[in-house]
Amino acid sequence: AALHRLAPPDAPRNPWRGIPLAGERDRITRGAIDRLDGIDRDEVLARWQRFLAVPGWDRPPVWLHGDPHPGNVVVHEGRIAAVVDFGDITSGDPASDLAVAWMHFDADARAAFRQACGDVDDHTWQRAHGWALALGLVIGASSADNPAYAALARRTIAAALDEPGP
């Protein structure tokens, strides 16, 4: 919530984060769906289509971490203590950062996280849910040589599919 503030017009833009789900993110996600084994493609595509129908970010870009996956979050005594690696800092739709909720938390903790983030409207939260599915699929499709990331991908995809969405 502290980071997601109005970004200046000259703030960096990442071509893969903070962007609409439709367009390039859709192309990347569909490619991951095609490459990833062990998923119900029909179920995943049906859910993905519903996420694509969610209205996009219609406000000025805000600052984004750009890569808040669990490897970039420091946990101490069961609590998030810090977020590190701001090498992908960018501006855009905060939904891509908020997708971390499905990577880190169960349903109850996601609800608490959303509340702690402040004013997250339903469409932004739905896009974040879509981003979680997209990121889980992309991580899964590219982590055959990394068991920890493969497990993260499976958990993220399962969380995104198990939770009701649009």
Side-chain angles (χ1 to χ4, degrees):
L3 177 62
H4 293 165
R5 302 286 186 231
L6 186 65
D10 62 344
R13 297 298 301 253
N14 183 310
W16 299 283
R17 301 292 173 101
I19 62 173
L21 291 175
E24 184 64 10
R25 179 51 51 189
D26 181 35
R27 184 190 68 74
I28 292 167
T29 301
R30 288 176 189 274
I33 293 168
D34 290 343
R35 292 188 317 275
L36 190 57
D37 292 326
I39 61 170
D40 180 335
R41 284 183 175 76
D42 292 336
E43 177 188 13
V44 170
L45 283 169
R47 179 63 71 92
W48 180 243
Q49 283 300 128
R50 293 198 309 269
F51 287 126
L52 290 174
V54 174
W57 182 251
D58 61 357
R59 290 175 251 168
V62 298
W63 282 114
L64 308 175
H65 178 276
D67 199 18
H69 63 76
N72 288 336
V73 176
V74 178
V75 177
H76 178 69
E77 296 181 359
R79 298 182 58 89
I80 294 174
V83 179
V84 298
D85 187 2
F86 282 79
D88 286 327
I89 195 163
T90 189
S91 61
D93 178 358
S96 62
D97 271 4
L98 296 172
V100 74
W102 285 264
M103 293 178 166
H104 281 281
F105 306 125
D106 64 19
D108 291 338
R110 273 193 299 279
F113 175 77
R114 181 180 179 182
Q115 184 175 6
C117 286
D119 184 25
V120 179
D121 64 88
D122 289 342
H123 288 148
T124 300
W125 194 249
Q126 290 169 353
R127 285 191 313 280
H129 190 171
W131 268 98
L133 179 59
L135 292 172
L137 292 163
V138 168
I139 292 168
S142 61
S143 63
D145 62 343
N146 188 326
Y149 273 57
L152 168 65
R154 286 190 301 276
R155 286 192 313 270
T156 303
I157 293 166
L161 293 176
D162 289 346
E163 185 170 308

